[in-house]
Amino acid sequence: MALNIDACIAQHQGDRKEQQDRVAILQHERKKGVALAVVADGMGGHAGGALAAEQVVHTARNNLHQYSPEGETPFDLLHTSLLEAHTMIKASRFINEKDPHSTGVLLLMQPGKAAWAHCGDSRLYRFRGDQPFFRTCDHSYVEHLVRSGKISPKEALTHPRRNVLMTSLGGREKPFITYDESTDLQDGDSFLLCTDGLWGYFDDQELARIIHVSTAREAAGRLIDLARLRGHGGGDNVSIAIVKLVETAEPKAAPRFGAGRPV
């Protein structure tokens, strides 16, 4: 039995004047079964944030096409992609006189294994069936307070400094990047990459349940609908990438990538 991939990306501008998120699922040009999901949340005023997030996707795409699994580790690709994006975003402030920054979360899928990395507060969740299995730890001030026991996760959602990041791509300091991987993938596992415009409205259990009972495309639409409803007219940009692993008896097919909601 082989594991096939059901994947989808989706976005909504929310109630903001501009869409500054970027999201993509990229397939390797030469290596079958190798794909990279990317979510980036740009910051830095009009146009600056969008350009920063776009740089994250652009850099990831270029590095994926040059990636050789035989001679490189997954972390080589993830590390290079995020650091190169950081350098390019930082350099761009001298060109456009903006102060661009971006978060970045990347998931590299290869046959039988997955690896991921993130900087900032865009998240990666891993679910096993309808249960939460793992999520990344935000590089944010409020996550630091939660981890140190000074506030509860519920209090973090409404904390006045909930949007303050401890690190980001394009900042003055070298970004802090966290890496992890898994080689125990199985049928029913799923991954969600998303910006804070989504995760701020859900707990981990609800996310797991919605993704488990639906196709990737259906789940993306449902999550955006609920985020819009719960935003009460003040919702942020929303970007989602969903990757579901489904066991199949058929020969392994190319990943099925669905389109989500229009931007």
Side-chain angles (χ1 to χ4, degrees):
M1 303 293 282
L3 290 178
N4 202 4
I5 293 177
D6 174 23
C8 179
I9 60 172
Q11 282 190 301
H12 197 288
Q13 188 168 320
D15 298 291
R16 300 294 189 257
K17 293 181 179 180
E18 182 183 12
Q19 175 59 269
Q20 295 199 346
D21 291 353
R22 293 294 185 269
V23 57
I25 296 179
L26 311 165
Q27 292 179 272
H28 199 292
E29 292 179 335
R30 302 178 306 280
K31 302 295 183 180
K32 184 178 180 181
V34 178
L36 182 65
V38 186
V39 168
D41 182 354
M43 300 156 280
H46 179 66
L51 290 172
E54 185 65 37
Q55 184 65 60
V56 177
V57 175
H58 175 75
T59 305
R61 179 182 290 110
N62 287 344
N63 281 283
L64 175 65
H65 295 330
Q66 298 173 25
Y67 174 59
S68 174
E70 297 82 6
E72 300 174 79
T73 71
F75 293 146
D76 290 333
L77 170 63
L78 300 172
H79 178 80
T80 300
S81 296
L82 289 175
L83 281 189
E84 285 186 3
H86 165 71
T87 299
M88 295 302 294
I89 296 168
K90 189 174 180 179
S92 71
R93 69 161 54 104
F94 300 107
I95 300 172
N96 58 30
E97 297 182 353
K98 307 277 185 188
D99 186 25
H101 301 268
S102 183
T103 68
V105 55
L106 280 62
L107 169 67
L108 179 63
M109 300 295 300
Q110 298 181 93
K113 59 184 178 180
W116 54 91
H118 84 287
C119 176
D121 66 351
S122 292
R123 292 181 178 179
L124 178 143
Y125 293 84
R126 182 183 177 188
F127 308 113
R128 176 148 287 172
D130 63 353
Q131 295 299 313
F133 193 78
F134 169 86
R135 82 160 172 85
T136 52
C137 178
D138 303 337
H139 301 140
S140 66
Y141 177 69
V142 295
E143 185 76 3
H144 169 72
L145 295 179
V146 171
R147 295 282 174 171
S148 61
K150 295 180 179 179
I151 63 173
S152 69
K154 184 176 181 180
E155 289 171 328
L157 295 175
T158 56
H159 194 280
R161 301 186 67 187
R162 62 187 178 276
N163 294 322
V164 176
L165 298 182
M166 306 294 284
T167 187
S168 66
L169 303 176
R172 298 186 183 278
E173 304 295 329
K174 183 177 180 180
F176 181 76
I177 301 170
T178 302
Y179 306 87
D180 208 343
E181 64 181 338
S182 173
T183 57
D184 65 342
L185 303 180
Q186 64 183 46
D187 176 42
D189 283 358
S190 58
F191 294 91
L192 166 68
L193 288 70
C194 63
T195 55
D196 61 344
L198 181 83
W199 61 252
Y201 299 111
F202 298 88
D203 62 34
D204 296 5
Q205 182 66 66
E206 185 179 17
L207 290 172
R209 185 172 62 253
I210 290 172
I211 291 174
H212 177 66
V213 300
S214 309
T215 66
R217 183 187 179 102
E218 291 167 346
R222 177 62 175 158
L223 291 173
I224 285 181
D225 285 345
L226 286 171
R228 296 292 300 133
L229 179 66
R230 295 170 184 179
H232 300 294
D236 198 355
N237 298 160
V238 179
S239 291
I240 303 171
I242 296 174
V243 177
K244 300 188 67 175
L245 301 181
V246 183
E247 193 172 60
T248 175
E250 300 298 323
K252 190 172 182 181
R256 178 166 66 88
F257 300 119
R261 295 298 180 84
V263 178

